[in-house]
């Protein structure tokens, strides 16, 4: 077959890009493991396995070359992202259903790698969040402030059978030292604010003490470190993370400026929940994001804006997944209207 | 203007840094490749209409003798590159991406290399510009950087700024580099000559910063030839980045201005010539040399003898392969031009052309491109690399799905096919080929469209004509009938017989007229 | 009483709206249909009549009035697709009774021509020159390859030669898109059609 | 003022007619093949919906209720809607023949678009004032337009994707609409109108 120039190629490949992404999730995953225990590991393993298995099965079903299809590791990335997003010690079938749905319905129904309009990991996550709200909002407290720490065997039992060897259910482990069971900082703030407390009053809660909150800020910092690694390796561009974090900062700053008692502060927004994971690993998924430079900034800013709006006013404590999906929807249109100027058409 | 040499402060969008591999060929001084036993000279090797053969089979030709005359405005003369007998004028494999055959003149050389040059014009400054342009056209000089555009046309306008393109940004190629190192004095004279033809006040030589020796040689030569720098020479050193040697990219690097889209550098008052072209123009004028040879890089890891050689135009590639002692065991592909924009030579018996600046004998895995491409993941690396600020992934998406009007909407035709996007693509998609395919297809479709609208015009004209004829016929019938009536009225009823006769005559007349058309 | 009121109300409303629409119909009257022009622009203008209409423009008018868009063999699948795009209809495969034609050009075997002018009268684009009792010839550049001159010729001296642009100047880069499609995805197994 | 704004946000995002209430799916599926068409349809629908909700308010408030003929509501509303649609059709036919042809059957189908009747009936049910009715109608149309245009831009991309054959065309469009609906769940609880 006749081939056109060029005849040489840079030594990068999709596989390498994906491996770098996986590598960059490591610090975050380790910190999560430190704070939340074995459940994180179980989730990651299950999701990765299910992702690879579903990918292989579908490629086989479609008659594609499934060896080369698997070796791009895109399914693995999806699996790991879902694994990181799931609450530790959620039952095993949650991980399986979410990952399977993500790979089949968000990815392969559209033709597989490169064609999915929505971020597969987030589709899987949102599906779970809507279908199993209880399981999906039962986060363990960071282990340093938990009343009942969970060991490996209990974790495994809880993960597989939803009950540990002593007959305790997950709820037993959800309590932290001040006796509350809603355990993520954003949850805590949301419930507190809706009950009429001010942000200042809520600061006393154990989970919200520390620099901005317990545990979660270190998880976010770890993902930030991973993200910076990706930036320096040019796996991702600065446009989307900067747009998203900037918009979160500005929107929440504006809201706190209007009424600091009713709104979560910018720092808490930036270092809680899935903010950093979202900004550097989820929103930057190139397939479902906008592609033009201007479009990417708009895309990131849109996500950031919606994250703050939904966190502050909406029904869900965290909103990264929804915001990403909503902006995925808008990405083709954003691209449509943000074509860069071609050489020679720029104003002199 | 303090110093002649300065480093550019401007840059262009995108660009890549492929491995250069120039050291393979730029270590040795320029050599002669010699005369091959047979020359295969392609008559359509320049931009524009192919030349018309003016010799016959069996004719004896000398080196420099005209064998193909330019036809039309955009064309160039073709000359014999050595002496010998014309063996055939036929369709032969040519150095073209398609690997197809086209009209060539095949010459069996006799080894004497007897030459027939033009009369030198010693003092070019004192002759009429048209004489010089005619000389350049007569000598068949085209742009030697790769475009092969007839040089006499590009020397025609008068502008203020001449830019000499010595960037040579493609990997592997080093012929301009060696030329500048070894023939700097003559080159400076040549550039002055081109400058005087164009009438340019300023002259900037754009050169990449990886050719320090060439820069030094040029500086030395300028000092020697033109100590006061009356020609207003400047050497602009640009960073080594592909494609800094692209015409519009180099202009942006030197002037900071962008040539308006769909326009020529002329719009900015700039003309650009390649270094080797300037030398060829100079030699054609002052020595009467027509373009029968050019400097060509022979490189690639499969070749044992590498370097830069004066090569006769029409030298078959299989002969070059022998001369370069290519190890055919490891030879993977032969590429004419650089790896970024060149093409694969499919039939080695085709001959070199005027724009053959490089032949790469690549060994296995040296210039390997993966055959299986993954789907596009829209990572945007291509958009970052594109020197024209296009969105290559959009162009690819629409070219692949054959939505050509959308591809055009994304400015497909501004693509310069530099290959930077394909180079960086992590999915190994042959992007440039998609664009070439789409461009070809759009041109074909618009040709068809033009043909269709032409056919419609003719059809509508015919319909109109038929209608008019019908109307005219009806009109004649009516007139004849009227005449009949009138006659009858005049003669009165008494002369009924005559009227009948007149009637018949009129009818016959009408019939006669009718059968005429 | 209530029923009567309802009837009166409905009649009044209907009368009012009727008047409004009547006015609008006069005010926004549409004279010509510029869509015909656009359709005609897509058709290949061979004037061959294979669509069953006496030329390309009549067919364009027919399409505008609702005729099928898949009756033009010279336009091929690409033409059908362009029409479907313009009109927002579903692209269809070319009518089965017609086969997609390759571009052709008419050539008269000149030594056999008797100069009857029949082909000249048949040519829709005046691409044949000649006079009575004199040899005719086809202007190749003007010929649309419509075949219409072949049947009238009494001595069968007109050949339709397929145009072969098989030289370097007509060469095109091939489409690199050669995605493998598995047997699972072949059309014959899953007869799913888009319905909307 | 704040109330109107919240009503608008609520109808556009939280209670989006297409993705949350699943009204008006027919044109949503039918006229979303191209962005240009979708934009045209958006304008047409916005015009019809706003006008129809205003007209039906007038008919309901000043004719049906005083005369005690509430049982004729559906009938009269359909009449009103049909007239507005016919009127719009004539205007479009005159001003943009291509759009007219492209919208094709879907333009008259706005008549039976459940979103339009739905808006009119919901206005009565929620006892909206005149202004509220108009805001509600406009908001519903804006929400419809928003998702229609987004959906059409996505479909343009999906149409050339390597979708497995059984899923091509309407099937993948339905799945996409479902996933969009999933994403719109994120807005739930955003506005609480008492």
């Amino acid at each position: 077959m006749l081939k056109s120039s060029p005849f040489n190629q840079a030594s990068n490949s999709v596989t390498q890009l994906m491996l770098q992404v996986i590598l960059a999730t490591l610090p975050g995953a380790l910190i999560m493991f430190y704070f939340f225990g074995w459940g994180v590991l179980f989730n990651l393993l299950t999701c990765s396995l299910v992702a690879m298995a579903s990918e292989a099965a579908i490629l086989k079903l479609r008659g594609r070359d499934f060896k080369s299809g698997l070796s791009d590791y895109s399914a693995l990335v999806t699996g790991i992202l879902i694994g990181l997003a799931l609450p530790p010690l959620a039952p095993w079938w949650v991980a399986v259903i979410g990952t399977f749905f993500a790979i089949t319905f968000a990815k392969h129904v559209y033709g597989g790698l490169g064609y999915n309009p929505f971020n597969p990991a987030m589709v899987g996550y949102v599906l779970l969040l809507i279908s199993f709200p209880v399981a999906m909002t039962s986060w363990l407290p960071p282990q340093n402030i938990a009343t009942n720490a969970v060991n490996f065997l209990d974790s495994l039992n809880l993960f597989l059978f939803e009950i540990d060897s002593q007959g305790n259910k997950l709820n037993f482990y959800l309590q932290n030292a001040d006796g509350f069971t809603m355990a993520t900082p954003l949850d805590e703030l949301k419930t507190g604010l809706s009950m009429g407390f001010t942000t200042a009053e809520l600061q006393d809660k154990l989970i919200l003490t520390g620099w901005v909150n317990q545990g979660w800020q270190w998880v976010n910092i770890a993902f930030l470190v991973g993200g910076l690694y990706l930036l320096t390796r040019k796996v991702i561009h600065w446009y989307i993370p900067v747009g998203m974090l900037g918009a979160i900062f500005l929107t929440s700053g504006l809201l706190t400026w209007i009424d600091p008692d009713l709104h979560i502060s910018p720092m808490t927004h930036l270092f809680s929940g899935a903010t950093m994971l979202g900004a550097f690993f989820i929103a930057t998924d190139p397939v479902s994001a906008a592609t033009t430079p201007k479009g990417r900034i708009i895309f990131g800013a849109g996500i950031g804006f919606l994250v703050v709006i939904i966190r502050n006013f909406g029904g869900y404590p965290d909103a990264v997944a929804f915001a990403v999906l909503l902006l995925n929807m808008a990405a083709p249109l954003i691209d449509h209207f943000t074509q860069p100027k071609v050489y020679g058409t720029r104003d002199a | 203007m303090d110093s002649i040499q300065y480093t550019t402060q401007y840059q262009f969008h995108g660009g890549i840094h492929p491995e250069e591999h120039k050291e393979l060929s730029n270590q040795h001084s320029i050599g002669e490749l010699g005369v091959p036993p047979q020359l295969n000279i392609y008559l359509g090797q320049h931009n524009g209409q192919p030349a018309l053969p003016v010799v016959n089979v069996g004719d004896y030709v000398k080196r420099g003798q005209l064998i193909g005359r330019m036809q039309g405005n955009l064309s160039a003369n073709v000359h014999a590159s050595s002496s010998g007998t014309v063996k055939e004028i036929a369709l032969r494999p040519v150095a073209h991406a398609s690997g197809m055959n086209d009209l060539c003149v095949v010459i069996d050389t006799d080894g004497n290399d007897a030459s027939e040059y033009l009369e030198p014009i010693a003092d070019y400054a004192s002759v009429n510009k048209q004489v010089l342009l005619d000389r350049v056209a007569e000598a068949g000089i085209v742009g030697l950087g790769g475009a092969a555009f007839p040089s006499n046309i590009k020397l025609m306008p008068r502008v203020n700024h001449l830019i000499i393109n010595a960037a040579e940004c493609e990997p592997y190629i080093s012929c301009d580099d060696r030329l500048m190192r070894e023939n700097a004095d003559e080159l400076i004279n040549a550039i002055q000559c081109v400058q005087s033809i164009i009438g340019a006040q300023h002259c900037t030589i754009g050169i990449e910063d990886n050719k320090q020796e060439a820069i030094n040689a040029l500086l030395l030569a300028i000092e020697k030839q033109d100590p006061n720098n009356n020609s207003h020479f400047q050497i602009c050193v640009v960073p080594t980045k592909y494609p800094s040697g692209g015409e519009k990219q180099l202009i942006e690097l030197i002037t900071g201005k962008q040539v308006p889209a769909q326009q020529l550098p002329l719009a900015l008052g700039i003309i650009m010539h390649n270094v080797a072209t300037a030398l060829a123009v100079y030699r054609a004028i002052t020595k009467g040399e027509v373009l029968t040879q050019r400097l060509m890089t022979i490189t690639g890891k499969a070749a044992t003898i590498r370097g830069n050689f004066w090569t006769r135009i029409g030298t078959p590639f299989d002969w070059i392969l022998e001369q370069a002692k290519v190890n055919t065991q490891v030879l993977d592909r032969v590429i004419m031009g650089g790896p970024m924009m060149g093409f694969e030579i499919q039939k080695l018996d085709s001959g070199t052309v005027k724009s053959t600046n490089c032949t790469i004998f690549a060994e296995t895995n040296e210039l390997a491109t993966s055959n299986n491409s993954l789907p596009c993941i829209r990572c945007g690396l291509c958009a970052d690399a594109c020197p024209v600020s296009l969105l290559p992934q959009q162009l690819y998406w629409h070219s692949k799905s054959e939505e050509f009007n959308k591809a055009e909407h994304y400015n497909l035709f501004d693509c310069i096919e530099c290959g930077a996007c394909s180079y960086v693509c992590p999915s190994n998609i042959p992007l440039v080929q998609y664009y070439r395919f789409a461009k070809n297809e759009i041109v074909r479709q618009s040709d068809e469209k033009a043909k269709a609208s032409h056919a419609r015009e003719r059809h509508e004209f015919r319909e109109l004509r038929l209608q008019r004829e019908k109307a005219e016929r009806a009109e004649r019938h009516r007139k004849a009938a009227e005449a009949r009536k009138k006659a009858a009225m005049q003669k009165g009823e008494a002369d009924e017989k005559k009227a009948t006769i007149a009637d018949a005559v009129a009818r016959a007349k009408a019939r006669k007229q009718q059968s005429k058309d | 009483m209530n029923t009567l009121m309802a009837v009166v109300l409905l009649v009044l409303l209907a009368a009012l709206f009727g008047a409004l629409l009547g006015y609008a119909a006069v005010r926004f009257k549409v004279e010509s249909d510029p869509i015909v022009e656009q359709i005609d622009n897509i058709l290949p203008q061979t004037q061959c009549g294979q669509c069953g209409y006496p030329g390309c423009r009549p067919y364009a008018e027919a399409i505008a009035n609702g005729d099928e868009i898949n009756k033009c063999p010279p336009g091929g699948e690409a033409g059908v697709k362009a029409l479907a795009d313009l009109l927002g209809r579903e692209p269809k495969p070319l009518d089965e009774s017609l086969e997609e034609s390759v571009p052709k050009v008419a050539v008269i075997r000149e030594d056999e021509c008797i100069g009857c002018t029949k082909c000249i009268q048949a040519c829709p684009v005046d691409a044949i020159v000649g006079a009575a009792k004199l040899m005719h010839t086809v202007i190749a550049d003007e010929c649309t390859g419509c075949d219409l001159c072949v049947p009238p010729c009494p001595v069968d001296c007109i050949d339709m030669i397929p145009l072969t642009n098989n030289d370097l100047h007509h060469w095109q880069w091939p489409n690199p898109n050669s995605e493998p499609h598995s047997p699972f995805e072949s059309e014959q197994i899953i007869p799913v059609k888009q319905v909307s | 003022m704040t109330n109107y704004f919240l009503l608008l946000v609520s109808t556009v995002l939280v209670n989006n007619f297409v993705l949350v209430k699943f009204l008006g799916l027919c044109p949503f599926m039918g006229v979303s093949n191209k962005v240009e068409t979708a934009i045209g349809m958006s304008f047409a629908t916005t015009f019809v919906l706003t006008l129809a909700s205003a007209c039906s308010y007038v008919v309901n408030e000043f004719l049906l209720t005083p005369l005690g003929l509430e049982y004729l509501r559906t009938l009269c509303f359909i009449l009103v809607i049909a007239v507005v649609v016919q009127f719009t059709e004539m205007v479009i036919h005159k001003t943009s023949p291509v759009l007219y042809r492209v919208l094709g059957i879907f333009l008259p189908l706005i008549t039976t678009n459940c979103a339009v009747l739905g808006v009119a009936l919901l206005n009565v049910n929620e006892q909206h004032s005149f202004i509220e009715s108009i805001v509600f109608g406009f908001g519903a149309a804006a929400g419809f337009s928003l998702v229609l245009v987004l959906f059409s831009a996505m479909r343009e991309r999906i149409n050339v994707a390597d979708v497995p054959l059984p899923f091509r065309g309407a099937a993948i469009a339905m799945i996409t609409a479902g996933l969009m609906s999933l994403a719109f769940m994120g807005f739930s609880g955003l506005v609480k109108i008492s």
Side-chain angles (χ1 to χ4, degrees), chain D residues 164-178:
Chain D
L165 205 66
F167 287 100
R168 295 251 165 98
I172 193 72
M174 292 286 190
I175 292 175
T176 309

Side-chain angles (χ1 to χ4, degrees), chain A residues 4 7 10 237 291 342-344, chain B residues 248 258 339 384 393 411 423 436:
Chain A
S4 149
F7 295 102
H237 254 291
T291 43
V342 178
Y343 177 103
Chain B
K248 293 183 170 181
Q258 290 190 343
D384 296 339
Q393 80 273 27
N411 305 305
Y423 177 80
R436 286 180 167 153

Side-chain angles (χ1 to χ4, degrees), chain B residues 323-395:
Chain B
Q323 302 304 303
K325 301 205 163 42
V326 172
N327 180 357
T328 44
Q329 300 291 314
V330 296
L331 181 69
D332 180 38
R333 44 165 52 131
V334 180
I335 286 162
M336 180 186 125
M340 298 302 296
M341 291 187 75
F343 54 85
E344 193 170 350
I345 296 291
Q346 295 174 44
K347 289 174 189 150
L348 289 176
D349 52 342
S350 53
T352 60
V353 290
K354 291 173 180 176
S355 57
T356 311
N357 48 3
C358 180
T359 306
I360 305 174
F361 296 98
E363 65 175 35
T364 326
N365 294 332
E366 187 182 358
L367 290 176
T369 44
S370 168
N371 274 324
N372 46 349
S373 54
L374 291 170
C376 168
I377 57 163
R378 312 172 64 81
C379 62
L381 287 174
C382 48
D384 296 339
C386 180
V388 202
S389 306
L390 296 168
L391 291 174
Q393 80 273 27
Q394 273 333 77
L395 290 176

